[in-house]
Amino acid sequence: MPQITVDYSESLESSFDRQGFALALHPLIVETIDTQLAACKSRFRRVVETLVAGGTPSDAVVHIGIALLPGRAPELKAQLSETVLDLLAEYLKPADGVTPVVSAEVRDLEPSYRKR
């Protein structure tokens, strides 16, 4: 548990320190939701095409999804989302002509979730 997925636009490839972000994100999650560091798992998925609003060549997106075992209060999840976005700003550097739209969502894992 926590299952972390980060989707990011290909145009951010060179300006997004993904490794550094994950290494800072995992302890932040541990501190916020009281879990074990070894439980944190992150996947980064480069998205080749993105379109924001009316679409411009500078479209870029970063979306961080964090799935947790059920039981956390909605306020705690919202706090974690805000903190994650603040942290992201430290690892996502400005890219020429690119203004990314960033978002985060913390949700519960489905009851069918299993881990081995």
Side-chain angles (χ1 to χ4, degrees):
M1 196 252 331
Q3 296 289 332
I4 305 150
T5 305
V6 182
D7 294 314
Y8 66 96
S9 296
E10 184 175 52
S11 59
L12 301 173
E13 186 79 27
S14 63
S15 62
F16 184 15
D17 178 4
R18 296 172 302 282
Q19 186 82 14
F21 176 68
L23 290 172
L25 177 62
H26 293 175
L28 181 132
I29 291 172
V30 167
E31 179 181 312
T32 305
I33 67 162
D34 190 29
T35 189
Q36 300 296 312
L37 186 62
C40 295
K41 296 164 281 309
S42 290
R43 294 183 309 275
F44 290 86
R45 301 185 299 197
R46 182 183 54 202
V47 179
V48 176
E49 291 185 53
T50 55
L51 181 69
V52 177
T56 67
S58 63
D59 286 350
V61 174
V62 177
H63 177 73
I64 303 146
I66 302 172
L68 307 171
L69 291 174
R72 273 57 177 218
E75 298 81 15
L76 182 63
K77 293 178 196 174
Q79 174 194 346
L80 181 56
S81 291
E82 288 292 335
T83 306
V84 166
L85 290 177
D86 291 342
L87 180 68
L88 176 64
E90 297 176 34
Y91 294 90
L92 182 61
K93 302 302 176 205
D96 289 336
V98 177
T99 305
V101 175
V102 298
S103 58
E105 175 190 20
V106 179
R107 64 175 180 80
D108 290 343
L109 288 162
E110 293 295 322
S112 62
Y113 174 76
R114 300 291 186 275
K115 180 180 96 168
R116 292 186 182 178

